[in-house]
Structures are given as structure tokens and as C-alpha cells.
Amino acid sequence: HCLDLSMQELTLGLTEEKILEAVPKVLEKSKAKALFIFTACVDTFIGSDHEIFLAPLREQYPDVLFIDARMDPINRATMPPIVRMHISLSENFKKTGEEKAVNILGSFIAPDEDQELVRHLKKHGFEVRHMQNMKTLAEHSLMGNSMLNLLVCPVGMAAVKALQERLGQPFVNLCGLKNIEELTAVYDDICDRLGIPHMDMEAEQKEAQLRIGNAADK
């Protein structure tokens, strides 16, 4: 859905009112469970107050997830769009308890099932959750019950920090590791936090070298 605004409506500050008028019509037609409201750079220039429409909409439609999804590349220095996107997508996480699960955050691509840390976590009874694998909005919200967030790309740092503050979810930073010693130390930290045995990194290295050798032969 696209909302057209005239120059007069923009200059008079009627953006918020137009959105408040349009959203009920959209929801009446689509019965959506989630609605992303994308505003453009011009809204930043004229100083639109998004809470003017977000607060009443969330009160009027408590069962609908409203995401403030701004398109504002002019703010790249303070909040790049991809950083804001990760924050917005994690706003649906809700903590209703604690489940034996770990979240992978910072990447839009789910980890390979055969990745060594993923295998180790699953071996010891932990579910490894990624947004891409959450098929429903309800499943997505349950990521708030995971015991630990694993950050795999720096663009998700603001999101994991926000989740730590809002839900009390701790996180481990897996970005920028320079060598096997640093990787091993971080893996050991993850295992200690979850109360599971450390990984056999010597065996993992041998397996990796074997696979690289097989690939080279092919």
C-alpha cells in the first residue's frame, strides 16, 4: 500500500493524520497480523513525530504488530538503515519464560545446519533459532525466550544491546575473531554460559582440514 501526500499536506504537518486515516482501511481489507510503516527521508527533514500515529494505533489494535520501518539513508552516520532494520525486526521478541534455545542475530541468512557450533548446541539439547526459520509471527516472538543471543555480524550490535536492556537477554559477540585461539575462547564462553561441555576444537580443526583437502581434490 502506498500513501500519496501533497506538498501542502507535508508542509502543514499532516503526515501523521494521513497515516492514522489510512491504516484502519488497510487492516480492514488485509486482516494483517503485522504492519510495517515505511516513512521516507522527507519525514526526517520535516520532523515527523512517529509516536503520534504509533501510540494510538498500538492501543487501538493490540493484536497487530506495528513496525516503525523508516527509509532514511540520510541518517547513515547515526543509524544506517540495515542497523535500524535489525532493531525493528527484534521488537516483536517477547519474554514469557526461558527456553532451552539460542538465537543467531546480525545476519539475514540462517546458519548452516552442519556448522560446528550449531551441531554442538543441538547435540546438547539446544534449539538454534534464526528469524529466517521462524514460520509464523508467534514463533518469531518466542525468540524472546531464548537463553542467549549470538551476534554474527556487527550490524546487529544495536539490536542485541536493545534486547539485553529490554528482555535481559545476554549476548556473545562472534564478530571479528582473528584466529583459532580467539574462536576457541568465545566458544568456551558460550558453553560455560549454557552449562554444557566445551567443544573438541582439535577434532573440529582436523575435520575442517579434511573437508578442505577433499574440496581441493575435487
Side-chain angles (χ1 to χ4, degrees), residues 43-106:
D43 290 276
T44 302
F45 283 126
I46 65 177
S48 295
D49 186 349
H50 292 204
E51 280 304 310
I52 288 178
F53 58 80
L54 287 171
L57 286 174
R58 286 167 174 162
E59 183 177 352
Q60 185 177 356
Y61 302 98
D63 296 328
V64 177
L65 172 67
F66 290 98
I67 296 291
D68 185 16
R70 311 179 189 200
M71 296 186 289
D72 54 355
I74 59 171
N75 279 342
R76 288 187 65 85
T78 55
M79 181 68 76
I82 193 169
V83 174
R84 186 186 299 282
M85 196 182 302
H86 280 284
I87 294 173
S88 296
L89 288 171
S90 65
E91 286 178 353
N92 184 45
F93 291 8
K94 296 179 178 65
K95 193 172 187 68
T96 58
E98 188 170 86
E99 300 172 9
K100 203 171 180 181
V102 171
N103 296 329
I104 304 289
L105 298 177

Side-chain angles (χ1 to χ4, degrees), residues 6-168:
S6 68
M7 182 65 73
Q8 184 180 20
E9 288 169 333
L10 282 172
T11 54
L12 290 177
L14 299 179
T15 307
E16 296 90 344
E17 292 182 23
K18 295 284 285 186
I19 292 174
L20 281 170
E21 291 173 5
V23 167
K25 297 176 183 177
V26 171
L27 293 179
E28 185 178 339
K29 291 180 179 179
S30 66
K31 308 298 182 185
K33 295 181 180 179
L35 186 64
F36 288 67
I37 301 177
F38 286 90
T39 52
C41 301
V42 66
D43 290 276
T44 302
F45 283 126
I46 65 177
S48 295
D49 186 349
H50 292 204
E51 280 304 310
I52 288 178
F53 58 80
L54 287 171
L57 286 174
R58 286 167 174 162
E59 183 177 352
Q60 185 177 356
Y61 302 98
D63 296 328
V64 177
L65 172 67
F66 290 98
I67 296 291
D68 185 16
R70 311 179 189 200
M71 296 186 289
D72 54 355
I74 59 171
N75 279 342
R76 288 187 65 85
T78 55
M79 181 68 76
I82 193 169
V83 174
R84 186 186 299 282
M85 196 182 302
H86 280 284
I87 294 173
S88 296
L89 288 171
S90 65
E91 286 178 353
N92 184 45
F93 291 8
K94 296 179 178 65
K95 193 172 187 68
T96 58
E98 188 170 86
E99 300 172 9
K100 203 171 180 181
V102 171
N103 296 329
I104 304 289
L105 298 177
S107 170
F108 294 125
I109 301 173
D112 192 295
E113 292 292 315
D114 200 34
Q115 199 273 345
E116 68 272 6
L117 179 60
V118 172
R119 280 192 284 104
H120 188 71
L121 291 171
K122 289 186 174 182
K123 176 183 177 182
H124 292 282
F126 280 85
E127 180 184 355
V128 179
R129 294 172 172 170
H130 187 276
M131 291 184 188
Q132 190 183 70
N133 298 329
M134 301 294 105
K135 302 303 182 184
T136 66
L137 200 61
E139 287 181 9
H140 183 264
S141 70
L142 288 178
M143 292 179 73
N145 287 338
S146 296
M147 295 173 62
L148 188 65
N149 288 327
L150 303 182
L151 179 66
V152 296
C153 185
V155 295
M157 179 62 78
V160 294
K161 286 184 176 179
L163 288 167
Q164 182 171 260
E165 183 176 345
R166 182 168 67 88
L167 301 179

